[in-house]
Amino acid sequence: QSTSSLGDRTLLLPERYDGCVVPWWLYLEDAAVFLSFNLLTKSWFFFFFVVSQVVHIGAQKEGEEGCVPGFQVKEYQVEYNGGFQKDHPLTQVFFDDCAGNEGLAFEVSHPDFQVDEEMNLVARRDMMDSGTVMFIHGVNEQADDMAQVDIVGAPPRSPQTLREILGLGQIQPYRSKRALFAPRMHVNENMEPPFPKVIGTVMSPGMENDHIFHMTGSGADQDPKGVFTINRVTGEVSVSQELDREAISSYTLEVSVTDLSGKLVEGPVALLVDVNDQNDNRPIFKETRYAGEVLEGSPTGTVVMTMTAEDADDPRLQNAVLRYNIVRQSPDKPSPNMFYINPESGNIVTVISPTLLDRETLPTTQYELEIVAQDMKGRDVGLTGTATATITITDKNDHAPEFTHSLFQANVDEGSTGVAVNLTVDDRDDPATGAWRAIYSIINGDPTQNFEIQTNPDNNEGMLSVVKPLDYESVVFHTLLIKVENEDPLVPDVGYGSSSTATVHITVLDVNEGPVFFPDPLQVTKMENIPLGSFVALLNATDPDVLQSQSIRFAVLRDPANWLSVNPVRGTVNTSANLDRESPYVHDNKYTAIFMATDNGNRPASGTGTLVIHLEDYNDNAPYVHPSVVRVCEDTKDSVVIVGGRDRDIHPNAGPFKIELGKQPGLEKTWKVSRVNNTHAQIMLLQSMKRANYQLPLVVTDSGLPPLSNSTEIKVQVCTCKKNRMDCSSAGSVCSNLMMLVLLLVSVVCVVCICLL
């Protein structure tokens, strides 16, 4: 909302009263009424003001080289001759937006007047009441300006304005203090020197000789300072430098009138200055190069990509309205117009027919387009910007792979594995894509699955390999039927033909093969500890080369314990040492040896076979007691320990074990051994003994046939036990044992007996 003052009446532009928006020209009508009153009372001031404006306008038109958008004449006069006839031209106004006046519209403050297509001011109807002044507002995208028309000799209008009908005349006491009027002004950007240049005039009909104009705000006394100045006497507003609309598009200033002492007389009122856009910015693409792709055979009109540019000029004007065009296509074959760009949206679409958009027949798979964006809707006067679009014609699987030969042949040594032959194919589709990569399969001739085929990723060849050795003596020739397909499915109108299959002949070459053991491994069961030279097994090896007469000789290849020997001709295996089931070379009761058989061919060949001997147990290991050291408390209430029997033999030559005291006399009075289960026994101290170490003799017997017994001793530490703690610290210092105690007692008895004798 902007305000102005006219004499002693305040003018608000525009304003709402009781929900109604009052048009701007109603205020101007009030202003015109007041101006008429002031012209009658102060005719000398008005005459000076009008003359100065006319002189200024003429000087401005002669002095400025550039076009200033808006009314070229700001004030007009019409003689009043008692009334006006409908559609009769009163005067012609002069308006130029410097761009052809497209979309120009006029608005007259008096509702019964209008500006026709010839820019003539005419009455809408026959009328007599026109008032003494009216205003014309001209506007389009390029310009926005206002002119004044004075009706010379006309009587004042009757009070029939909307303001008067709404009863708004009561606000006159508040408006009567101000008469300052600042019309909206326009200035072109990029104006050429010299500066300053006058762009408009602020009017104050109540101006006195001791009154001066002031202007403040951004662009005057605030940053950017000094852009606009005002003539303190005439109210002329001037621009002092070249402007850039893209930096600042409009300025809002305030204008006031003071006396020479600085006392405010009128205002302040708002002054809005619009910077008119000039076409000084080229369209700019975000990137210099764009990339797109389109599938071969795509229908005409397929959108490939979109390219858009930006223009920094005013988007409301044609200065920033862009149009796009393709100016160059490289290469220009098979047609220089394979693509089209929508001038407004920038969408690039295909123009070439689907049949010609064939990747395999085009001279290249990439086309480069030079795109031009031009403002001013693409007119010749518009500025341009360019970018490059690279369009790649992508492949679809419209060509089936074909073998280069219908028959492939290879020779393979029997018994060998590996690649036998490489199969080559041609495919016209794009390499390194699923439409080009081949998948091979064997569809006939390999019932035992001796072959497999894989694709070489580097050259797309099929590598046919032998995965199970072939036997010359069984089959000499193999005939395989191979099929090739693509990873991606073919398009519906293309299929696989006879060229997508090939035949492979494999010839097996005879090779001297080594003897083969049967069975392998050979498994036998023997008792350990059999006599030296005992028969163990008979090796059986045959020569696969049945068409040749060759002899076979046997030898020991691996015998970890050196227990075996073999007859080189007959292949009989005998013992050369005792077979010991408990040996570290025996695992899980099995002993393993490896033998070799060699033929006498031109190039001797050999084969190996395995002999596994399952060893049966013989009761050849006496049992023993574990643990060998136990602890008991000197207090007989807690003097109990558990010991167990162990045996290196296995069932039935191991447990159950029988554990009992040794045969020394008197042991049963101090110790007691009782059975706990098949493998363990309990040792109990029957009376308190001095804390010391004692050797307790025991006898342990296994369950073998015949059973084996072992007389052994365990170390018993008698310790002090208190509160769940066992103290055996001094037990090691006592060196006596139960046997020494018994001998000492026997010696004392013998001495006594001798003395008695």
Side-chain angles (χ1 to χ4, degrees):
Q1 178 174 321
S2 62
T3 64
S4 180
S5 61
L6 295 171
D8 57 354
R9 304 178 65 191
T10 300
L11 180 62
L12 305 175
L13 299 178
E15 194 173 37
R16 292 182 180 266
Y17 293 97
D18 298 331
C20 299
V21 179
V22 181
W24 60 270
W25 60 76
L26 293 182
Y27 301 106
L28 295 179
E29 289 173 355
D30 290 342
V33 172
F34 179 75
L35 288 173
S36 298
F37 173 77
N38 280 277
L39 288 172
L40 293 175
T41 59
K42 300 178 181 179
S43 58
W44 65 269
F45 175 77
F46 178 75
F47 176 77
F48 171 77
F49 177 75
V50 170
V51 171
S52 65
Q53 293 297 310
V54 172
V55 173
H56 159 66
I57 292 172
Q60 183 178 11
K61 292 182 64 177
E62 294 177 0
E64 291 187 3
E65 297 179 0
C67 175
V68 178
F71 283 101
Q72 304 304 302
V73 178
K74 304 291 186 180
E75 295 186 5
Y76 304 86
Q77 289 186 350
V78 175
E79 294 290 338
Y80 179 78
N81 295 319
F84 302 97
Q85 295 180 358
K86 178 182 178 181
D87 295 331
H88 179 74
L90 304 181
T91 185
Q92 187 177 36
V93 297
F94 299 96
F95 189 100
D96 188 0
D97 68 353
C98 306
N101 285 347
E102 291 187 10
L104 179 61
F106 294 99
E107 198 172 12
V108 183
S109 61
H110 196 299
D112 292 324
F113 289 85
Q114 66 179 358
V115 177
D116 63 14
E117 295 181 355
E118 303 298 328
M119 294 192 186
N120 293 318
L121 177 65
V122 298
R124 297 177 183 269
R125 60 182 177 85
D126 295 338
M127 59 176 300
M128 298 178 61
D129 188 9
S130 64
T132 59
V133 65
M134 64 181 68
F135 296 91
I136 302 175
H137 182 207
V139 63
N140 68 355
E141 290 185 351
Q142 309 294 334
D144 186 345
D145 202 5
M146 186 171 61
Q148 178 178 322
V149 179
D150 295 322
I151 312 299
V152 179
R157 288 188 65 192
S158 59
Q160 297 297 321
T161 65
L162 178 60
R163 177 182 302 279
E164 295 163 337
I165 295 173
L166 296 175
L168 302 179
Q170 60 188 354
I171 66 173
Q172 288 182 1
Y174 298 96
R175 298 176 56 194
S176 63
K177 297 179 181 179
R178 306 174 67 184
L180 188 61
F181 179 64
R184 188 168 186 165
M185 300 180 186
H186 299 268
V187 58
N188 288 341
E189 66 172 335
N190 305 324
M191 294 180 65
E192 296 182 356
F195 290 102
K197 294 181 184 291
V198 177
I199 62 173
T201 303
V202 176
M203 296 174 286
S204 177
M207 194 76 172
E208 301 290 346
N209 290 335
D210 61 345
H211 292 176
I212 58 176
F213 290 97
H214 293 274
M215 184 166 61
T216 62
S218 177
D221 60 348
Q222 300 176 18
D223 290 334
K225 296 180 180 180
V227 177
F228 300 98
T229 59
I230 188 169
N231 188 303
R232 292 193 169 197
V233 176
T234 64
E236 291 181 338
V237 178
S238 301
V239 61
S240 59
Q241 63 188 48
E242 180 180 345
L243 302 182
D244 183 4
R245 188 205 67 85
E246 287 70 42
I248 302 177
S249 60
S250 64
Y251 297 82
T252 300
L253 307 166
E254 285 189 346
V255 178
S256 60
V257 176
T258 68
D259 59 18
L260 296 179
S261 65
K263 182 180 179 180
L264 183 64
V265 176
E266 295 179 296
V269 297
L271 170 61
L272 182 63
V273 180
D274 291 325
V275 181
N276 294 330
D277 185 44
Q278 300 293 314
N279 192 19
D280 58 345
N281 288 279
R282 294 182 178 275
I284 297 176
F285 288 92
K286 291 183 179 180
E287 302 176 13
T288 57
R289 287 189 169 272
Y290 292 79
E293 58 184 33
V294 61
L295 187 66
E296 65 172 331
S298 296
T300 300
T302 299
V303 177
V304 180
M305 59 192 298
T306 300
M307 294 181 61
T308 57
E310 295 180 351
D311 195 311
D313 289 321
D314 191 343
R316 300 171 301 174
L317 307 179
Q318 294 185 8
N319 296 341
V321 179
L322 306 183
R323 294 294 182 263
Y324 301 94
N325 186 33
I326 299 175
V327 298
R328 182 181 60 85
Q329 172 190 303
S330 178
D332 58 359
K333 304 295 183 182
S335 167
N337 299 311
M338 296 175 60
F339 303 95
Y340 166 79
I341 187 169
N342 186 297
E344 297 184 7
S345 67
N347 290 338
I348 299 177
V349 300
T350 59
V351 178
I352 189 172
S353 66
T355 55
L356 294 179
L357 192 61
D358 185 356
R359 183 186 172 280
E360 288 73 35
T361 60
L362 290 173
T364 180
T365 59
Q366 284 191 340
Y367 285 84
E368 189 174 275
L369 307 179
E370 184 177 343
I371 309 298
V372 172
Q374 189 170 27
D375 57 22
M376 298 299 293
K377 290 187 176 180
R379 296 203 300 265
D380 292 340
V381 296
L383 303 178
T384 61
T386 61
T388 301
T390 300
I391 299 177
T392 302
I393 313 300
T394 58
D395 187 40
K396 64 180 180 180
N397 197 9
D398 55 350
H399 295 89
E402 298 179 347
F403 283 101
T404 57
H405 303 88
S406 60
L407 176 64
F408 295 85
Q409 300 184 34
N411 296 327
V412 177
D413 289 338
E414 67 170 329
S416 65
T417 59
V419 177
V421 61
N422 290 314
L423 310 180
T424 55
V425 295
D426 284 334
D427 195 318
R428 297 171 61 190
D429 291 314
D430 187 12
T433 65
W436 177 80
R437 288 190 291 268
I439 299 177
Y440 298 87
S441 58
I442 302 172
I443 60 177
N444 195 12
D446 187 25
T448 56
Q449 297 181 347
N450 291 91
F451 302 90
E452 73 173 14
I453 188 167
Q454 295 180 340
T455 304
N456 188 326
D458 297 328
N459 53 25
N460 216 30
E461 294 181 355
M463 301 182 295
L464 180 64
S465 302
V466 178
V467 293
K468 293 181 180 179
L470 303 177
D471 184 13
Y472 171 83
E473 287 72 24
S474 299
V475 180
V476 177
F477 299 103
H478 294 265
T479 301
L480 307 178
L481 186 61
I482 310 297
K483 180 180 180 180
V484 62
E485 298 175 310
N486 286 133
E487 286 186 2
D488 293 346
L490 296 173
V491 295
D493 55 341
V494 177
Y496 294 102
S498 59
S499 297
S500 296
T501 58
T503 301
V504 179
H505 287 169
I506 301 294
T507 301
V508 183
L509 303 179
D510 187 24
V511 175
N512 184 26
E513 302 171 85
V516 178
F517 284 84
F518 181 82
D520 188 21
L522 173 62
Q523 303 198 40
V524 297
T525 301
K526 296 295 177 181
M527 177 69 71
E528 66 172 332
N529 297 329
I530 58 177
L532 297 181
S534 298
F535 173 79
V536 175
L538 175 63
L539 302 179
N540 180 24
T542 58
D543 193 336
D545 300 308
V546 295
L547 301 181
Q548 303 179 29
S549 178
Q550 298 181 145
S551 61
I552 297 175
R553 295 183 65 83
F554 298 93
V556 177
L557 183 62
R558 184 174 179 272
D559 180 13
N562 294 320
W563 289 345
L564 305 173
S565 62
V566 62
N567 185 291
V569 178
R570 296 191 300 271
T572 55
V573 179
N574 297 85
T575 61
S576 58
N578 286 332
L579 304 182
D580 184 6
R581 191 198 64 83
E582 292 77 30
S583 169
Y585 299 106
V586 177
H587 303 283
D588 195 21
N589 302 321
K590 292 182 290 186
Y591 179 74
T592 301
I594 299 177
F595 295 86
M596 180 173 63
T598 305
D599 63 22
N600 62 345
N602 186 22
R603 291 184 178 180
S606 61
T608 60
T610 301
L611 172 64
V612 177
I613 304 174
H614 294 262
L615 292 174
E616 296 180 340
D617 186 43
Y618 180 80
N619 194 14
D620 57 348
N621 292 279
Y624 58 93
V625 176
H626 182 80
S628 60
V629 178
V630 297
R631 292 178 175 181
V632 298
C633 295
E634 59 184 353
D635 186 353
T636 56
K637 294 184 295 181
D638 299 319
S639 300
V640 176
V641 294
I642 301 297
V643 295
R646 293 190 178 182
D647 199 322
R648 295 179 61 194
D649 293 320
I650 60 175
H651 181 78
N653 297 319
F657 297 105
K658 180 180 179 182
I659 302 175
E660 54 189 350
L661 289 172
K663 302 303 182 180
Q664 289 83 348
L667 292 179
E668 67 278 1
K669 296 180 180 180
T670 306
W671 306 94
K672 179 181 179 181
V673 178
S674 56
R675 184 174 180 271
V676 174
N677 54 32
N678 289 340
T679 58
H680 290 77
Q682 174 181 280
I683 299 176
M684 180 182 300
L685 182 61
L686 300 179
Q687 59 184 11
S688 298
M689 296 184 67
K690 183 179 179 181
R691 185 170 61 179
N693 292 338
Y694 300 91
Q695 296 297 123
L696 178 62
L698 296 175
V699 177
V700 55
T701 305
D702 62 23
S703 298
L705 293 176
L708 290 180
S709 296
N710 181 22
S711 295
T712 184
E713 291 182 346
I714 65 171
K715 182 178 181 180
V716 180
Q717 292 181 326
V718 178
C719 307
T720 301
C721 300
K722 293 181 179 180
K723 297 181 180 180
N724 297 327
R725 291 186 59 188
M726 180 175 285
D727 183 11
C728 304
S729 58
S730 61
S733 61
V734 180
C735 299
S736 59
N737 55 41
L738 291 177
M739 192 64 186
M740 294 179 63
L741 180 60
V742 172
L743 293 176
L744 180 60
L745 292 174
V746 172
S747 300
V748 171
V749 171
C750 292
V751 171
V752 172
C753 292
I754 292 172
C755 292
L756 292 176
L757 293 175

